Every structure is written in structure tokens, then in C-alpha cells.
Amino acid sequence: MRFVWLAAVILALEPLSAQTTAGLNTAVLSRIDADIASGQYGNVDSVLILHHGQVALDRTYNHDYGSIYADADKKAQTWSQLDPGGPYNYFNPFWHPYLRNNGVLHTEQSVTKTVLSMVIGVATTRGEFPPLNTPVLKYFDPAKVANVDDFKRHLTLRNLITMTVGMKWNADLPYTDPNNMATVMEESPDWVKTFIDQPMQEEPGTKFYYNDGAPQALGYIFRRATGQDVEEYAAKFLFAPLGIKNWYWKRSPKGTPDTEGGLYLDRHDLAKLMQLFQHDGMWEGQRIVSSEWVKASIAPQVAVARSPGVQYGYLWWLYPYGKDKAELSFGGSGWGGQLPVVLPAEDIVIVVNAWNIDSRKGLGASQMIARVLASLPQAQP
């Protein structure tokens, strides 16, 4: 940890030049750092860039969220009406963006979905999770589920993990809108029931529609199928082999892990998880996830119609990049600006954490990828 800190300080002090850090151009990295520090991208909390496993840039940026969101935190609204002091008031600086304001564990929001996919991959590799063509209603009492029809009977685990649910689920509204289904779900006492009771609108597997309830249902099904809590399973079979010792995972009102957005991690540990899939599921000579699962997870499973060129895997976002957009990066995406992404051909891992929840500013995947690519030696004139 001390070495990383010193490297970051040295990098910040170096003048713009043709020098390289971890094989990336220091001048370009310094400009990225300066633009973030200036507030060009809003409230960015940290950025970590690895090249061939070596730290090229590792910086944190301080923001007084108690002051930034002081007025918003006092208002009764969709983000705080259940308990203004609780973990689902997203303006509360005790919980967001850093857990208990400690500057280490950062909320990852929907990147949690991608980590859930990793855990399912580990369980599948170990032969402890059912095939993805398994019907979802196998894990529910259909007599207690609302709006059961042929569409819902055809719903499978694959549909949940690829967000091709075919359900009426409005995720396009702002989270502040009480009709946003993620907000409706988080304000309900039983998140999984809120999801499974929703009416269907088309055959599952037809189209991509973002659905926060799908990964929450997967977390519930994980327990039903394996007999183990998904967080406990992750701790034993995913986090421990990678040396991840510190995390926090929020829980839903029913006590199940918030698998749609409740995980907090140190940025360096999130980078490890990205590296695991960059290394085809291997970590220090140990097979953690099967090569087959890794390849399927980060392969295009469905197109994201609202974002041309963007594809979706098993709860992974796939962004085109490079010349003629011929390459595909893979990573997660979390509300507020959580962005872990891997550029596989270049062996680059980028982790950005931010908290832009009421601003149009932000650092998008394509923008960050382009800026980091510009630091490669071959990109220099």
C-alpha cells in the first residue's frame, strides 16, 4: 500500500514528458489526473489504472459530501423516505459514497450485479449452481406469484442474467421518480416478490431491458439452489482466493444480500476481480472460474438498443473501442459513476469510483477508454 501511495505522489510531481509509468505515457496520465482534479468530470473519488498488472495511476480526490448534499439529505423524497439515516438514503454521507465516510470502501452500486455474475460463475464451476436454462418459477410457489402466464412460465435463469426478462419494468425514469421500478422495489418490504409479481409484456429472451429486480431474484435463487448465502459463498470461494479481506454488502429488508447494488469494495480489490476475468478465471495458478464461464460471460449475449454498439453479457457491459470499434472491452457500470473496465488486448484495467448522482457531469466508459488508450506508446506521435 505504501508503494502504491508513493508511486502516485511521484507521478503527480513529474512534469509532462515522454516518460512512462507501467509502460503508459506519464504526460497523458498526468493530464487525465489534472482534469479529474479540476472537477471536469464532477465528483470523481478515485481512479486506478493498471497496465500488465502494474500501477500506472492511482489517485484519490476528496469531496465534502456532507456539504454537497446537505440540503438534499434533509428532504423527504424517494431516496430517503423509508429511513433518512439508513443505507438507502443515497445523500447520507455516512453511507455514501464511502462506507461510514472512511475513504476506503466505496459503494459500487450496479457493479454489484457483475460481481454476482462472478459468484454464480464460481458456483457453476464448482457444480453447485443449476443450468441457466432452468425455469425461474422452479424456485417459487406459482400459486403465490401474481400475473403468471406462459411468458412467465418460460422465464429462465439465462433471461435474468442477460436482462432479457420480457417484463413490464420501467427503468428509464430517474431514480427520484416514484414510478421508477428500482425505486418501487427498494421501498417495498420484499424486493424479490415485487419483482416476480410484475406482469410480463413479451416472450423472455427477446430484447434487453434493464431490470434491477433480475439480479435480486438471482441472489434469492442462489440461496434456494445452493443452500448458501451468496455473500458467504463469495467470501469463501471468490474473495478469499484473491486476498480480498474487506468489503461490505448491504441487505434487503428481508435479509437477503442486495445483489442489485449493495456491495462496497476497495478500488484495488475491484481491480483484482477485473483481473481475474482478464486472466481467464485464473489467479496465481489456481482456477477460480472456468474458462467456459468467463468466455460466455464477456461474450455478447444481447445488444443494448439504446446505446449503439454496446453489448451485454452475463451482467457484464461490453463496450466497443479502438480502430473502427473493432475491439470489445468488458466491465461493470454503477450509478453515480462506478466504472471498472478491462481493455483485454492491451492488458489494461481501469477502475473509476465517483458520486455524480444529481449532476450531468460524469466520466463515461467510452471517454475514459479513449483517454487511457492515448497513453499507450504506439498512440504517441
Side-chain angles (χ1 to χ4, degrees), residues 355-371:
W355 202 231
N356 292 310
I357 61 173
D358 67 347
S359 164
R360 294 183 180 181
K361 287 186 176 181
L363 187 54
S366 297
Q367 191 172 31
M368 189 60 180
I369 290 169
R371 296 206 64 170

Side-chain angles (χ1 to χ4, degrees), residues 6-259:
L6 288 172
V9 172
I10 292 170
L11 176 60
L13 294 176
E14 285 180 342
L16 299 184
S17 68
Q19 294 180 331
T20 63
T21 300
L24 300 182
N25 185 278
T26 301
V28 176
L29 296 176
S30 295
R31 285 193 290 270
I32 296 172
D33 175 33
D35 287 346
I36 292 173
S38 72
Q40 180 173 325
Y41 301 111
N43 302 322
V44 175
D45 297 310
S46 64
V47 60
L48 172 64
I49 301 173
L50 307 179
H51 187 216
H52 301 313
Q54 301 299 310
V55 175
L57 180 65
D58 186 7
R59 294 297 305 270
T60 59
Y61 312 88
N62 294 323
H63 304 285
D64 183 358
Y65 288 109
S67 297
I68 292 171
Y69 296 128
D71 292 336
D73 187 34
K74 296 173 184 176
K75 297 177 183 177
Q77 55 189 301
T78 55
W79 289 343
S80 61
Q81 63 187 14
L82 284 183
D83 181 0
Y88 291 97
N89 172 7
Y90 294 103
F91 291 122
N92 184 346
F94 186 77
W95 289 97
H96 301 95
Y98 286 105
L99 178 67
R100 301 186 180 95
N101 203 23
N102 66 3
V104 178
L105 298 181
H106 197 284
T107 178
E108 299 305 335
Q109 294 300 299
S110 287
V111 176
T112 305
K113 298 174 173 68
T114 304
V115 178
L116 169 66
S117 177
M118 294 182 185
V119 181
I120 292 173
V122 174
T124 299
T125 300
R126 295 174 54 84
E128 296 174 341
F129 194 80
L132 293 184
N133 61 0
T134 304
V136 169
L137 287 180
K138 175 180 178 180
Y139 302 99
F140 295 87
D141 179 354
K144 297 180 180 179
V145 175
N147 299 302
V148 173
D149 57 12
D150 284 345
F151 288 162
K152 192 168 286 189
R153 293 187 188 94
H154 297 165
L155 188 63
T156 67
L157 302 183
R158 182 179 301 278
N159 301 136
L160 299 187
I161 207 168
T162 59
M163 298 267 188
T164 56
V165 179
M167 181 179 283
K168 290 182 179 179
W169 188 275
N170 195 338
D172 293 330
L173 296 171
Y175 287 122
T176 50
D177 191 312
N179 295 310
N180 180 294
M181 281 305 301
T183 299
V184 171
M185 182 180 73
E186 287 193 357
E187 290 182 346
S188 73
D190 189 333
W191 294 6
V192 175
K193 182 171 178 56
T194 298
F195 166 79
I196 199 63
D197 281 350
Q198 290 302 302
M200 304 292 286
Q201 64 182 6
E202 63 187 13
E203 182 68 30
T206 306
K207 296 177 183 177
F208 173 91
Y209 289 108
Y210 197 75
N211 187 314
D212 289 284
Q216 194 62 35
L218 278 171
Y220 164 82
I221 290 169
F222 189 96
R223 179 61 180 257
R224 293 290 308 277
T226 67
Q228 300 180 67
D229 180 275
V230 69
E231 180 185 0
E232 294 178 8
Y233 197 95
K236 184 183 299 184
F237 299 115
L238 177 59
F239 295 166
L242 273 60
I244 297 174
K245 299 179 181 179
N246 297 305
W247 70 88
Y248 182 81
W249 208 321
K250 291 191 290 189
R251 298 264 164 169
S252 75
K254 294 287 284 186
T256 56
D258 175 355
T259 46

Side-chain angles (χ1 to χ4, degrees), residues 99 272 302:
L99 178 67
K272 287 180 180 180
V302 62

Side-chain angles (χ1 to χ4, degrees), residues 194-368:
T194 298
F195 166 79
I196 199 63
D197 281 350
Q198 290 302 302
M200 304 292 286
Q201 64 182 6
E202 63 187 13
E203 182 68 30
T206 306
K207 296 177 183 177
F208 173 91
Y209 289 108
Y210 197 75
N211 187 314
D212 289 284
Q216 194 62 35
L218 278 171
Y220 164 82
I221 290 169
F222 189 96
R223 179 61 180 257
R224 293 290 308 277
T226 67
Q228 300 180 67
D229 180 275
V230 69
E231 180 185 0
E232 294 178 8
Y233 197 95
K236 184 183 299 184
F237 299 115
L238 177 59
F239 295 166
L242 273 60
I244 297 174
K245 299 179 181 179
N246 297 305
W247 70 88
Y248 182 81
W249 208 321
K250 291 191 290 189
R251 298 264 164 169
S252 75
K254 294 287 284 186
T256 56
D258 175 355
T259 46
E260 55 97 24
L263 186 60
Y264 290 70
L265 287 167
D266 182 292
R267 63 188 181 281
H268 303 95
D269 289 335
L270 181 53
K272 287 180 180 180
L273 292 167
M274 295 297 112
Q275 286 178 291
L276 174 66
F277 271 58
Q278 168 67 347
H279 298 158
D280 195 40
M282 297 290 293
W283 190 263
E284 296 182 348
Q286 181 182 358
R287 171 64 66 187
I288 308 298
V289 188
S290 72
S291 180
E292 292 77 14
W293 181 269
V294 171
K295 288 181 171 61
S297 294
I298 59 176
Q301 301 292 335
V302 62
V304 180
R306 67 184 182 185
S307 303
V310 177
Q311 307 277 332
Y312 204 67
Y314 290 170
L315 300 176
W316 287 85
W317 292 91
L318 313 174
Y319 306 101
Y321 74 97
K323 186 178 180 181
D324 301 323
K325 301 293 185 181
E327 302 286 346
L328 271 183
S329 64
F330 58 89
S333 178
W335 181 56
Q338 320 324 315
L339 176 64
V341 63
V342 176
L343 311 184
E346 293 76 18
D347 195 10
I348 290 175
V349 174
I350 304 166
V351 174
V352 177
N353 284 131
W355 202 231
N356 292 310
I357 61 173
D358 67 347
S359 164
R360 294 183 180 181
K361 287 186 176 181
L363 187 54
S366 297
Q367 191 172 31
M368 189 60 180

